[in-house]
Each structure stands twice: as C-alpha cells, then as structure tokens.
Amino acid sequence: MSEQLRVALLARAGAARDQLRKALEEVGAAIVAEGDPGELDPKDVAGKLPKVFLVALEPATEKAIDRF
C-alpha cells in the first residue's frame, strides 16, 4: 500500500479552495494544513511535514506565498 500524499492547501476561503479540497480528498491526499497563506504561519505549516504545497494563486495571495 502506498503512503498518503501530505498536502498543504494554501488558498483564501471560498469556492476555489473548496473545490481544491474536494479534489484532493477524492484522490486520497491527506490535507495536513489548510488556510489563507496571508494568515497561516509558515513554521506551523512546515511542522506538519507536507510533501506538496498546493497554492491557488490570485493577486491577493501572491505576496504571502514568498513566506513559504
């Protein structure tokens, strides 16, 4: 059996994040962190040991992504 993919979902609240979460759940990914990249603490997210960062890019989140 393969190991579950550990994903940090970085996106502002709303329909796009909801759709991304649903797609990740459908493929069996483990969402270990989720939230607005402008509000999450990068150290807290890193501490959850994600293997992948999935980012919903939009103008409001682009600056916050650099912290990760």
Side-chain angles (χ1 to χ4, degrees):
M1 179 182 270
S2 63
E3 186 177 323
Q4 234 181 353
L5 183 62
R6 298 174 60 82
V7 179
L9 175 55
L10 306 179
R12 292 180 0 148
R17 187 167 93 189
D18 293 345
Q19 290 174 355
L20 289 169
R21 181 186 329 101
K22 182 178 178 184
L24 289 168
E25 290 170 347
E26 286 177 0
V27 297
I31 301 171
V32 297
E34 178 180 342
D36 185 324
E39 297 173 359
L40 291 173
D41 182 328
K43 289 181 183 178
D44 289 343
V45 174
K48 296 181 181 193
L49 305 174
K51 289 296 230 177
V52 174
F53 287 79
L54 179 57
V55 181
L57 287 180
E58 58 181 275
T61 61
E62 286 185 45
K63 292 180 183 177
I65 295 304
D66 289 338
R67 300 179 317 129
F68 290 88

